[in-house]
Amino acid sequence: MKRQHLAIILATVAAIAGILVTLVLLGNAPVDGEPRNYTYNVVNVYPHDKSAFTQGLVFEDGFLYEGTGLWGQSTLRRVELETGNVTQLYSLPDQFFGEGITIFEDKIVQLTWTSGKGFVYDKSSFELLQEFDYPTQGWGITNDGSRLIISVGNSTLYFLDPETFQPIGQVEVHDEEPVEELNELEYINGSVYANIWKKDRIAIINPETGKVTAWIDLSGINDSENIGENVLNGIAYDQNGDRLFVTGKRWSKLFEIELVPK
């Protein structure tokens, strides 16, 4: 009988221990629906043109494509990653303040800030092929292979037809509340990554629902140059090499980073 009692006691203790472990694990797990949080490791650092007021950034075919802003200084450029050298450059007319860019098929689409005017270029030659109009400001732009996705400085992502440039939908970006001042955008593996104006954070967004699924905290990545309006802005992704790049306005460095769960 003593042995039976001992066996029952041990089994009860084991069961209670298992319940306690489960409760601890549940307490440490993220609550369902809450965004994940990441910090970063710097994998590589590359030179970046310190005069470039970065507004849009894309990586394709081994090169960075960059759109820059400011009145009288706005450009579209092709840049060598390793050296930071500009190998091709198109200067926008002085009346346009350049904003985000995206590559759609064999074309580059570039927005402007307050002019309500966008430009379409041949990706290889930078020949200006087309202009189009839109009724909002232009901030960031990316695409998911079938739609252009743009930000205009508020909490809304707008979807445009890539052939007609007509609106075909929109979604409000939210966490616990709307996420305002969405800026430069990059579409990565089904999610939209968005800079937030003057914040050291990137939001990872479900473009179908607008829900922020994760935040990347990039605090400290370039404090010496992250001053005034020279803020974090510019996200590019190397699909083939699975590399993520970030930079900022008038930064002398471009960073390849890997995400680290907090």
Side-chain angles (χ1 to χ4, degrees), residues 4 12 18 28 41 55 60 104 119 129 135 148 165 172 177 182-184 187 198 202 221-222 231:
Q4 290 177 341
T12 302
N28 290 331
N41 283 332
Q55 302 285 66
E60 189 166 295
F104 186 82
F119 302 106
L129 302 175
L148 301 179
F165 302 100
E172 183 179 58
E177 57 188 24
L182 301 171
N183 203 357
E184 211 270 329
Y187 186 82
K198 292 192 175 181
I202 291 173
I221 195 167
N222 198 24
V231 295

Side-chain angles (χ1 to χ4, degrees), residues 32-162:
D32 185 42
E34 289 188 359
R36 295 184 177 276
N37 290 285
Y38 295 95
T39 183
Y40 64 94
N41 283 332
V42 174
V43 178
N44 283 304
V45 180
Y46 302 97
H48 181 252
D49 181 2
K50 192 172 173 58
S51 70
F53 197 75
T54 304
Q55 302 285 66
L57 197 67
V58 182
F59 185 90
E60 189 166 295
D61 301 330
F63 287 92
L64 289 163
Y65 293 80
E66 186 170 16
T68 72
L70 300 176
W71 305 111
Q73 301 179 45
S74 297
T75 66
L76 172 67
R77 48 181 72 184
R78 184 184 290 115
V79 181
E80 289 181 342
L81 173 65
E82 298 289 343
T83 67
N85 292 337
V86 178
T87 63
Q88 193 164 349
L89 183 140
Y90 175 89
S91 295
L92 277 67
D94 289 352
Q95 68 267 31
F96 295 112
F97 191 117
E99 286 281 348
I101 66 167
T102 191
I103 296 176
F104 186 82
E105 296 178 347
D106 59 351
K107 301 179 180 67
I108 300 173
V109 183
Q110 183 175 32
L111 302 180
T112 58
W113 181 25
T114 56
S115 304
K117 184 76 69 177
F119 302 106
V120 182
Y121 309 90
D122 178 89
K123 190 183 82 170
S124 297
S125 67
F126 284 12
E127 176 188 358
L128 180 61
L129 302 175
Q130 184 181 355
E131 299 181 6
F132 63 95
D133 298 316
Y134 49 92
T136 62
Q137 290 190 11
W139 285 41
I141 183 169
T142 188
N143 75 86
D144 62 4
S146 61
R147 304 173 295 181
L148 301 179
I149 306 170
I150 71 170
S151 62
V152 303
N154 56 21
S155 61
T156 304
L157 293 177
Y158 296 88
F159 304 104
L160 304 184
D161 183 284

Side-chain angles (χ1 to χ4, degrees), residues 155 171-179 205 209-213:
S155 61
V171 67
E172 183 179 58
V173 175
H174 59 282
D175 189 353
E176 294 181 352
E177 57 188 24
V179 179
I205 303 158
T209 65
K211 180 76 173 71
V212 174
T213 60

